[in-house]
Amino acid sequence: MNPIPEDYIKKIIHVDMDAFYASVEQRDRPELRGKPIAVGGSKERGVVAAASYEARKYGVRSAMPSAIAWRRCPDIIFLKPDFKKYRAVSQQIRSIFHRYTDLVEPLSLDEAYLDVSQNKAGISSASKIARKIREEIKAETELNASAGISINKFLAKVASDINKPNGQKTIMPDEVISFLEELPIQKFFGVGAKTAEKMKRLGIHNGKDLKAWDIALLKQEFGKAGEHYFNIVRGLQKSEVKPSRARKSLGAERTFDHDLKSSQEVEDALKSIFEIWYQRIEESGLKGRTISLKLKSQNFETLTRSKSLEQASNSRALLFKESMELLQKQYRGEAIRLLGLSLSNFGSDFETKAQQLTLDF
């Protein structure tokens, strides 16, 4: 008998394109195939938006400063992103998803959740649907996709990473508990780097260790999040795929391993966050009116300040200028453990099915 109640069991697929931006460029430019490439940045400045698998062998990854990528892989080829092209390919892929279900929740241009519990094709096997979707993506776009299939969004997303690239993994309902017990604690949804460190100090290294803690102790140590940890390790996650969720803001933030204790450190950190944030703005095609800066001190006091522009914009120069001015006005020399930027107030004419992005890198 499955220990997870039926109302917690759905057929969820997480589709994740393999090195999406880099793969699109290698598809369209045969001379780049088999070579280490990075989309975004340059030898001198910027951030990598995507790296080909040839570059990943050298430890190059997305969100990495491109100067570090170049040091790790001196032969790397930097390419300017073409988000208009990537958005067009993404729409082509989403049209394939909608052949099977309208319950599609995009997370970004290259990944999405699908609820196929009830599907247009009348196929009972979610694994079979995922395989057909991947085959159709390959046939129609020449690109590879990986997929994870399980009872909820969290498990489907974890599963999609297991057999990458160009593979899929299914975690069946009767396999969920044993899978969760063996899962490293840092892989659990809602467990960031700081929380993982704390859990390991408490002797919690995997799901089995976490499961040994009762809910009262978890709440005592982790506050409201304790109940979430108690439920998720038992496979109790309500996973509504929300196709019509409108994005209200687009943000990027970073929690630092060591507090920043000088104006120069804080400014340099914000510049790095800006690069990632602006890449996401370019990717989305958004224009917004309100820029917000978020700072959290070493005492966990959070300050958020915003400025509204006269009209919606996605001008790199303008957003950079306003972001830096917000920092100069609000930073008072205190030690900083978190910095973030966000853009909002997009206007009533914009709708998206993606969710707010928060980066913790």
Side-chain angles (χ1 to χ4, degrees):
M1 180 178 176
N2 197 306
I4 303 171
E6 284 295 322
D7 59 336
Y8 284 91
I9 298 176
K10 294 188 176 182
K11 295 179 181 180
I12 307 294
I13 301 172
H14 178 254
V15 179
D16 192 5
M17 300 302 297
D18 296 331
F20 182 52
Y21 305 154
S23 295
V24 171
E25 296 297 344
Q26 288 179 320
R27 179 197 69 178
D28 295 346
R29 298 171 62 178
E31 71 275 12
L32 297 175
R33 294 173 189 172
K35 295 182 180 180
I37 69 169
V39 176
S42 65
K43 292 179 182 179
E44 295 80 22
R45 63 178 292 251
V47 175
V48 174
S52 68
Y53 280 97
E54 294 84 359
R56 294 183 188 190
K57 292 177 182 177
Y58 294 86
V60 178
R61 55 178 175 79
S62 62
M64 173 181 284
S66 53
I68 294 176
W70 179 60
R71 287 200 295 271
R72 291 188 177 184
C73 181
D75 294 328
I76 198 165
I77 301 167
F78 290 101
L79 302 175
K80 184 178 179 180
D82 184 349
F83 288 109
K84 182 177 180 181
K85 176 167 66 175
Y86 307 148
R87 284 194 293 270
V89 178
S90 179
Q91 287 299 322
Q92 189 179 1
I93 292 166
R94 289 179 194 176
S95 70
I96 295 172
F97 298 159
H98 282 278
R99 295 171 192 170
Y100 294 90
T101 179
D102 288 327
L103 292 178
V104 177
E105 181 181 339
L107 300 177
S108 60
L109 294 183
D110 61 346
E111 61 176 321
Y113 291 117
L114 291 73
D115 186 338
V116 296
S117 303
Q118 304 293 326
N119 59 86
K120 298 176 181 180
I123 299 172
S124 61
S125 168
S127 300
K128 185 175 181 180
I129 293 173
R131 192 171 298 109
K132 288 175 70 67
I133 286 172
R134 291 175 49 241
E135 289 171 352
E136 290 175 27
I137 290 173
K138 181 68 172 181
E140 297 176 33
T141 70
E142 302 177 46
L143 301 172
N144 291 326
S146 295
I149 306 96
S150 197
I151 67 169
N152 60 40
K153 292 197 288 189
F154 159 58
L155 284 163
K157 187 170 177 64
V158 172
S160 68
D161 212 33
I162 291 175
N163 289 325
K164 264 186 168 290
N166 195 28
Q168 66 182 62
K169 169 69 176 178
T170 301
I171 304 170
M172 299 294 289
D174 59 359
E175 299 170 338
V176 166
I177 297 302
S178 59
F179 180 87
L180 287 169
E181 287 180 349
E182 296 299 319
L183 193 66
I185 200 63
Q186 63 270 18
K187 296 278 189 180
F188 279 84
F189 176 74
V191 178
K194 293 286 186 181
T195 302
E197 288 177 14
K198 179 177 179 179
M199 286 187 170
K200 289 176 181 178
R201 288 198 300 270
L202 294 170
I204 303 172
H205 299 279
N206 55 32
K208 188 174 183 179
D209 296 334
L210 179 60
K211 200 173 178 182
W213 283 56
D214 66 34
I215 193 167
L217 279 175
L218 287 172
K219 285 184 174 180
Q220 179 180 311
E221 289 290 343
F222 302 102
K224 292 180 181 179
E227 184 174 357
H228 163 74
Y229 301 143
F230 181 86
N231 288 330
I232 200 168
V233 76
R234 291 165 172 79
L236 305 179
Q237 184 202 33
K238 292 287 187 181
S239 286
E240 298 296 329
V241 172
K242 301 174 181 178
S244 59
R245 179 167 53 192
R247 176 187 281 164
K248 296 182 179 179
S249 66
L250 174 61
E253 65 182 39
R254 179 177 180 182
T255 302
F256 304 100
D257 294 331
H258 304 286
D259 294 338
L260 308 181
K261 296 181 178 179
S262 72
S263 297
Q264 191 61 55
E265 279 188 310
V266 173
E267 184 175 315
D268 288 346
L270 193 70
K271 287 177 180 177
S272 176
I273 293 166
F274 177 88
E275 293 292 339
I276 295 170
W277 178 51
Y278 189 73
Q279 280 184 356
R280 297 299 302 182
I281 292 170
E282 280 194 301
E283 175 186 312
S284 69
L286 287 171
K287 291 183 178 181
R289 287 191 62 238
T290 302
I291 302 165
S292 298
L293 170 71
K294 178 180 177 182
L295 304 96
K296 184 179 288 186
S297 72
Q298 64 180 159
N299 298 322
F300 293 88
E301 295 178 351
T302 301
L303 174 69
T304 303
R305 290 291 182 269
S306 301
K307 179 174 181 178
S308 292
L309 308 173
E310 291 185 3
Q311 59 184 21
S313 176
N314 60 4
S315 162
R316 179 190 177 92
L318 179 60
L319 295 181
F320 182 79
K321 171 179 172 291
E322 297 295 348
S323 298
M324 289 300 158
E325 286 185 3
L326 277 172
L327 178 66
Q328 289 162 10
K329 289 178 181 177
Q330 300 304 324
Y331 181 59
R332 296 291 181 265
E334 64 272 38
I336 296 295
R337 69 184 308 268
L338 179 148
L339 276 173
L341 288 166
S342 65
L343 184 68
S344 59
N345 200 359
F346 302 124
S348 59
D349 59 334
F350 180 80
E351 288 186 2
T352 181
K353 297 183 172 93
Q355 63 184 8
Q356 177 178 351
L357 172 74
T358 299
L359 293 173
D360 187 7
F361 53 96

